[in-house]
Amino acid sequence: MTMAERVERARALVERAGAPATLHRATEDLFPDVDGLPEVPLSELTVDGLASGIQHHGGMVVRGLLAPDQVEALRAQLQDGTLRAKQGGASSSEVDRMVAMLIDAYRAQGVLDLAERYLGEAPVGFPHRTVVKRNEPSAGLPWHQDASFFRGPCGSLDVWTALTECGRKCPSLWLVPRRIERILDESQTTVDASATVEDEMPEVLEGVEAVRPVLQPGDAILLDEMTVHRTGTGWKIPSREVAVTWFFAPSRLPAMTARPIAF
Ligand SMILES: O=C(O)CCC(=O)C(=O)O
């Protein structure tokens, strides 16, 4: 599917969407003894585990979310650097191929199916938030919640997958391993650091320590728009490579200027 076809298909899904679909709720914490983020191999990832990780711990680590051959195929697309469609969906054949490859990999690994069961509907995304990227040390985001950018809670799912080792020689993410139910700074609309969020951090971190998972290629961090996180620290190599996709229920799509895409 080209990006234009994905935009068309998503338009139909969003038009058809009725009342907000029900997000899969974690009735209990399936990882009560875990202080940081729960970790499971992909073969043990269930929708209850996912809900528990995100809604009780602020996120979770999934080992081997992408297989080695999928990681290598995606990395091979990065010869010319980051591949990202424009917000409006303007694309190129390289970006179309990359998105198709990423979505096919998610489908083959059961991630699309899991996202659908968790979100309550077949998911859609945004073109500029479905990305395979190579970052250099100058890149990075400060502490934030994506709910600030999405203008409120929307029950999303973010899959942040390392394509190179991330955490020792280059950053993964720093995350607050607890559920935060309020938006710390609703006016944080850019990627600039927010003094309000910085002021809130001591309270947000009271009694817990921020975590910075060490990921092997193919390992992923799963989080949502309420998770307080930032780019990790510690660059010892020139670049890192990562695949990031935000999944949304069409009936709870944030009001963004970008046009959604179907997977
Ligand atoms: O990739 C990163 O370092 C940060 C990504 C992030 O925080 C986000 O997409 O919300």
Side-chain angles (χ1 to χ4, degrees):
M1 240 193 293
T2 64
M3 198 59 81
E5 288 165 337
R6 290 185 190 281
V7 167
E8 244 352 273
R9 195 172 285 198
R11 190 203 310 272
L13 286 173
V14 172
E15 274 172 15
R16 260 208 321 264
T22 306
L23 183 73
H24 190 91
R25 292 282 168 198
T27 45
E28 57 175 321
D29 183 1
L30 298 179
F31 310 100
D33 302 325
V34 175
D35 274 339
L37 297 186
E39 274 191 35
V40 294
L42 180 66
S43 57
E44 289 174 21
L45 180 61
T46 62
V47 70
D48 285 325
L50 173 63
S52 215
I54 289 183
Q55 295 165 23
H56 287 283
H57 295 262
M60 68 189 301
V61 172
V62 178
R63 301 287 175 193
L65 184 121
L66 293 183
D69 60 327
Q70 295 169 333
V71 168
E72 281 321 307
L74 288 167
R75 292 192 63 201
Q77 303 294 307
L78 281 173
Q79 304 301 341
D80 298 322
T82 297
L83 289 174
R84 192 192 291 266
K86 300 267 184 311
Q87 287 206 21
S91 183
S92 65
S93 54
E94 288 79 16
V95 172
D96 287 358
R97 190 165 54 242
M98 179 279 292
V99 171
M101 192 177 277
L102 183 58
I103 302 310
D104 284 352
Y106 289 142
R107 185 171 288 108
Q109 297 296 89
V111 175
L112 279 189
D113 184 50
L114 187 81
E116 177 168 346
R117 285 188 289 135
Y118 178 64
L119 298 175
E121 269 175 312
V124 294
F126 287 116
H128 62 301
R129 291 257 183 181
T130 306
V131 59
V132 178
K133 62 182 183 175
R134 178 184 296 152
N135 290 145
E136 288 166 12
S138 56
L141 297 184
W143 286 116
H144 66 281
Q145 291 164 296
D146 286 74
S148 304
F149 310 140
F150 301 155
R151 302 194 193 110
C154 57
S156 62
L157 171 66
D158 178 28
V159 178
W160 192 99
T161 309
L163 300 179
T164 53
E165 191 267 4
C166 290
R168 289 199 200 284
K169 294 196 173 149
C170 62
S172 63
L173 300 176
W174 277 111
L175 301 106
V176 176
R178 68 154 40 127
R179 185 68 182 166
I180 306 292
E181 294 288 2
R182 65 199 171 89
I183 303 180
L184 304 179
D185 180 2
E186 295 192 5
S187 66
Q188 187 179 15
T189 53
T190 69
V191 295
D192 294 333
S194 153
T196 307
V197 172
E198 293 297 332
D199 286 349
E200 296 269 4
M201 287 315 289
E203 190 182 319
V204 166
L205 284 169
E206 203 178 324
V208 292
E209 281 186 20
V211 294
R212 186 180 54 163
V214 175
L215 304 177
Q216 299 306 317
D219 293 348
I221 301 171
L222 274 47
L223 61 145
D224 78 358
E225 75 282 357
M226 303 308 286
T227 307
V228 181
H229 64 291
R230 54 163 293 172
T231 300
T233 40
W235 287 92
K236 298 193 181 79
I237 53 173
S239 64
R240 69 169 188 188
E241 292 171 9
V242 179
V244 190
T245 305
W246 283 85
F247 297 94
F248 303 91
S251 62
R252 298 191 307 271
L253 193 67
M256 309 265 288
T257 46
R259 292 190 293 173
I261 54 169
F263 295 132

Coordinates of all heavy atoms in Angstrom, one line a residue, residues 33 58 103 105 132 165 194 207-208:
D33 N 5.7 -7.7 42.0 CA 7.0 -7.6 42.6 C 8.0 -6.9 41.8 O 9.2 -6.8 42.2 CB 7.5 -9.1 42.9 CG 6.5 -9.8 43.8 OD1 5.9 -9.2 44.6 OD2 6.3 -11.0 43.6
G58 N 3.7 2.1 33.9 CA 4.1 3.1 33.0 C 4.7 2.6 31.7 O 5.1 3.4 30.8
I103 N 5.3 -2.5 9.0 CA 3.9 -3.0 9.3 C 3.9 -4.5 9.1 O 3.3 -5.2 9.9 CB 2.9 -2.3 8.4 CG1 2.9 -0.8 8.6 CG2 1.5 -2.8 8.7 CD1 2.9 -0.3 10.0
A105 N 6.3 -6.6 9.4 CA 7.0 -7.2 10.5 C 6.1 -7.2 11.7 O 6.0 -8.3 12.4 CB 8.3 -6.4 10.7
V132 N 11.3 4.9 10.9 CA 12.5 4.1 11.1 C 13.6 5.2 11.1 O 13.8 5.9 10.1 CB 12.7 3.1 10.0 CG1 14.1 2.3 10.3 CG2 11.6 2.1 10.1
E165 N 22.0 -1.9 19.3 CA 22.0 -2.0 20.8 C 21.8 -0.6 21.3 O 22.4 0.3 20.8 CB 23.3 -2.6 21.2 CG 23.3 -3.0 22.7 CD 23.9 -1.9 23.6 OE1 24.2 -0.8 23.2 OE2 24.0 -2.1 24.8
S194 N 10.3 21.5 29.2 CA 9.3 22.2 29.8 C 9.7 22.5 31.3 O 10.0 21.5 32.0 CB 8.0 21.4 29.8 OG 7.2 21.8 30.9
G207 N 9.9 8.1 45.5 CA 9.8 6.7 45.9 C 10.1 5.7 44.7 O 10.1 4.5 44.9
V208 N 10.4 6.2 43.5 CA 10.8 5.3 42.4 C 12.1 5.9 41.7 O 12.3 7.1 41.8 CB 9.8 5.1 41.3 CG1 8.6 4.3 41.8 CG2 9.3 6.4 40.7

